[in-house]
Structure formats: structure tokens, C-alpha cells
Short mmCIF file of all heavy atoms in Angstrom, two decimals:
data_model
loop_
_atom_site.label_atom_id
_atom_site.label_comp_id
_atom_site.label_asym_id
_atom_site.label_seq_id
_atom_site.Cartn_x
_atom_site.Cartn_y
_atom_site.Cartn_z
N ASN A 773 88.10 73.24 111.48
CA ASN A 773 87.58 73.69 110.19
C ASN A 773 87.14 75.15 110.19
O ASN A 773 86.72 75.68 109.15
CB ASN A 773 86.40 72.80 109.78
CG ASN A 773 86.81 71.35 109.59
OD1 ASN A 773 87.87 71.07 109.04
ND2 ASN A 773 85.97 70.43 110.04
N THR A 774 87.22 75.82 111.35
CA THR A 774 86.79 77.22 111.44
C THR A 774 87.80 78.13 110.73
O THR A 774 89.01 78.03 110.98
CB THR A 774 86.66 77.66 112.90
OG1 THR A 774 85.73 76.80 113.58
CG2 THR A 774 86.15 79.10 112.99
N ARG A 775 87.33 79.00 109.88
CA ARG A 775 88.19 79.99 109.24
C ARG A 775 88.34 81.15 110.21
O ARG A 775 87.35 81.80 110.58
CB ARG A 775 87.58 80.44 107.92
CG ARG A 775 87.42 79.31 106.89
CD ARG A 775 86.93 79.83 105.57
NE ARG A 775 87.90 80.72 104.94
CZ ARG A 775 87.70 81.34 103.77
NH1 ARG A 775 86.56 81.16 103.12
NH2 ARG A 775 88.62 82.12 103.27
N PHE A 776 89.56 81.42 110.60
CA PHE A 776 89.78 82.39 111.68
C PHE A 776 91.08 83.14 111.47
O PHE A 776 92.11 82.55 111.19
CB PHE A 776 89.82 81.64 113.02
CG PHE A 776 90.30 82.48 114.17
CD1 PHE A 776 89.48 83.45 114.73
CD2 PHE A 776 91.57 82.31 114.69
CE1 PHE A 776 89.92 84.23 115.78
CE2 PHE A 776 92.02 83.09 115.74
CZ PHE A 776 91.18 84.06 116.29
N ASN A 777 91.01 84.45 111.61
CA ASN A 777 92.20 85.29 111.55
C ASN A 777 92.02 86.41 112.56
O ASN A 777 91.27 87.35 112.34
CB ASN A 777 92.41 85.85 110.14
CG ASN A 777 93.72 86.63 110.02
OD1 ASN A 777 94.31 87.06 111.01
ND2 ASN A 777 94.19 86.80 108.79
N ALA A 778 92.72 86.29 113.69
CA ALA A 778 92.56 87.26 114.77
C ALA A 778 92.93 88.67 114.32
O ALA A 778 92.36 89.66 114.82
CB ALA A 778 93.42 86.85 115.96
N ASP A 779 93.86 88.79 113.39
CA ASP A 779 94.29 90.11 112.94
C ASP A 779 93.19 90.86 112.19
O ASP A 779 93.25 92.08 112.05
CB ASP A 779 95.53 89.99 112.04
CG ASP A 779 96.76 89.54 112.81
OD1 ASP A 779 96.83 89.80 114.02
OD2 ASP A 779 97.65 88.91 112.19
N GLN A 780 92.18 90.14 111.73
CA GLN A 780 91.10 90.77 110.98
C GLN A 780 89.91 91.14 111.87
O GLN A 780 88.93 91.70 111.39
CB GLN A 780 90.63 89.85 109.85
CG GLN A 780 91.69 89.61 108.79
CD GLN A 780 91.24 88.64 107.71
OE1 GLN A 780 90.19 88.01 107.82
NE2 GLN A 780 92.03 88.53 106.65
N ILE A 781 90.00 90.81 113.16
CA ILE A 781 88.92 91.13 114.10
C ILE A 781 89.31 92.37 114.90
O ILE A 781 90.33 92.36 115.61
CB ILE A 781 88.63 89.94 115.04
CG1 ILE A 781 88.24 88.71 114.21
CG2 ILE A 781 87.54 90.30 116.04
CD1 ILE A 781 88.07 87.45 115.03
N ASN A 782 88.50 93.40 114.80
CA ASN A 782 88.83 94.68 115.42
C ASN A 782 88.26 94.74 116.84
O ASN A 782 87.14 95.19 117.06
CB ASN A 782 88.31 95.84 114.58
CG ASN A 782 88.73 97.19 115.14
OD1 ASN A 782 89.74 97.29 115.83
ND2 ASN A 782 87.94 98.20 114.86
N ASN A 783 89.04 94.24 117.80
CA ASN A 783 88.65 94.35 119.20
C ASN A 783 89.91 94.33 120.05
O ASN A 783 90.96 93.84 119.61
CB ASN A 783 87.71 93.22 119.61
CG ASN A 783 86.79 93.64 120.74
OD1 ASN A 783 87.04 94.62 121.45
ND2 ASN A 783 85.70 92.90 120.93
N LEU A 784 89.81 94.87 121.26
CA LEU A 784 90.98 94.95 122.12
C LEU A 784 91.53 93.58 122.45
O LEU A 784 92.73 93.34 122.38
CB LEU A 784 90.61 95.69 123.41
CG LEU A 784 91.75 96.09 124.34
CD1 LEU A 784 92.74 97.00 123.63
CD2 LEU A 784 91.19 96.79 125.58
N VAL A 785 90.63 92.64 122.78
CA VAL A 785 91.01 91.26 123.07
C VAL A 785 90.14 90.32 122.25
O VAL A 785 88.92 90.50 122.18
CB VAL A 785 90.85 90.92 124.57
CG1 VAL A 785 91.25 89.46 124.83
CG2 VAL A 785 91.68 91.85 125.43
N VAL A 786 90.77 89.35 121.62
CA VAL A 786 90.04 88.30 120.89
C VAL A 786 90.44 86.97 121.52
O VAL A 786 91.63 86.65 121.59
CB VAL A 786 90.38 88.31 119.39
CG1 VAL A 786 89.69 87.14 118.69
CG2 VAL A 786 89.98 89.63 118.76
N GLY A 787 89.46 86.21 121.99
CA GLY A 787 89.75 84.93 122.64
C GLY A 787 89.29 83.76 121.80
O GLY A 787 88.30 83.84 121.07
N VAL A 788 90.01 82.65 121.94
CA VAL A 788 89.69 81.43 121.20
C VAL A 788 89.84 80.23 122.12
O VAL A 788 90.82 80.13 122.88
CB VAL A 788 90.63 81.25 119.98
CG1 VAL A 788 90.46 79.86 119.39
CG2 VAL A 788 90.35 82.31 118.93
N ALA A 789 88.89 79.31 122.07
CA ALA A 789 88.97 78.04 122.76
C ALA A 789 88.77 76.94 121.73
O ALA A 789 87.86 77.03 120.90
CB ALA A 789 87.91 77.94 123.86
N ALA A 790 89.59 75.92 121.75
CA ALA A 790 89.48 74.86 120.75
C ALA A 790 90.03 73.55 121.30
O ALA A 790 90.83 73.54 122.25
CB ALA A 790 90.22 75.24 119.48
N ARG A 791 89.59 72.47 120.71
CA ARG A 791 90.12 71.13 121.01
C ARG A 791 90.58 70.54 119.68
O ARG A 791 89.77 70.32 118.78
CB ARG A 791 89.05 70.26 121.66
CG ARG A 791 89.56 68.92 122.17
CD ARG A 791 88.49 68.20 122.97
NE ARG A 791 88.94 66.91 123.44
CZ ARG A 791 89.66 66.71 124.53
NH1 ARG A 791 90.01 67.76 125.28
NH2 ARG A 791 90.03 65.50 124.91
N ILE A 792 91.89 70.32 119.57
CA ILE A 792 92.48 69.95 118.28
C ILE A 792 93.37 68.72 118.44
O ILE A 792 94.06 68.56 119.45
CB ILE A 792 93.30 71.13 117.72
CG1 ILE A 792 92.35 72.28 117.32
CG2 ILE A 792 94.12 70.72 116.51
CD1 ILE A 792 93.03 73.47 116.73
N GLY A 793 93.35 67.85 117.43
CA GLY A 793 94.21 66.68 117.43
C GLY A 793 95.59 67.01 116.88
O GLY A 793 96.06 68.14 117.00
N THR A 794 96.23 66.03 116.26
CA THR A 794 97.57 66.26 115.71
C THR A 794 97.54 67.44 114.74
O THR A 794 96.72 67.49 113.82
CB THR A 794 98.05 65.00 114.97
OG1 THR A 794 98.04 63.90 115.88
CG2 THR A 794 99.46 65.20 114.44
N HIS A 795 98.45 68.38 114.97
CA HIS A 795 98.39 69.62 114.20
C HIS A 795 99.76 70.29 114.18
O HIS A 795 100.49 70.28 115.18
CB HIS A 795 97.36 70.57 114.84
CG HIS A 795 97.30 71.92 114.19
ND1 HIS A 795 96.75 72.13 112.95
CD2 HIS A 795 97.72 73.15 114.63
CE1 HIS A 795 96.83 73.42 112.65
NE2 HIS A 795 97.42 74.06 113.63
N ASP A 796 100.11 70.88 113.06
CA ASP A 796 101.32 71.68 112.92
C ASP A 796 100.92 72.98 112.23
O ASP A 796 100.49 72.98 111.08
CB ASP A 796 102.36 70.91 112.08
CG ASP A 796 103.69 71.63 112.00
OD1 ASP A 796 103.72 72.87 112.11
OD2 ASP A 796 104.73 70.96 111.79
#
């Protein structure tokens, strides 16, 4: 449910960790 867009975050590296069920 997190609203996230890496392209809008101004940093050299942006990391994400998540646990997700069935998803496309």
C-alpha cells in the first residue's frame, strides 16, 4: 500500500525492501 516512485527521489541510490504476495 506504500506510494512509491524511485524516479521522484533525488539520491544516488534508493533502496527498497518489501514482502509481497501475488502481484503483477
Side-chain angles (χ1 to χ4, degrees):
N773 297 319
T774 303
R775 298 185 65 182
F776 169 75
N777 185 340
D779 291 333
Q780 295 177 351
I781 301 174
N782 184 26
N783 208 341
L784 190 59
V785 180
V786 176
V788 169
R791 188 172 178 83
I792 292 181
T794 302
H795 175 72
D796 185 333

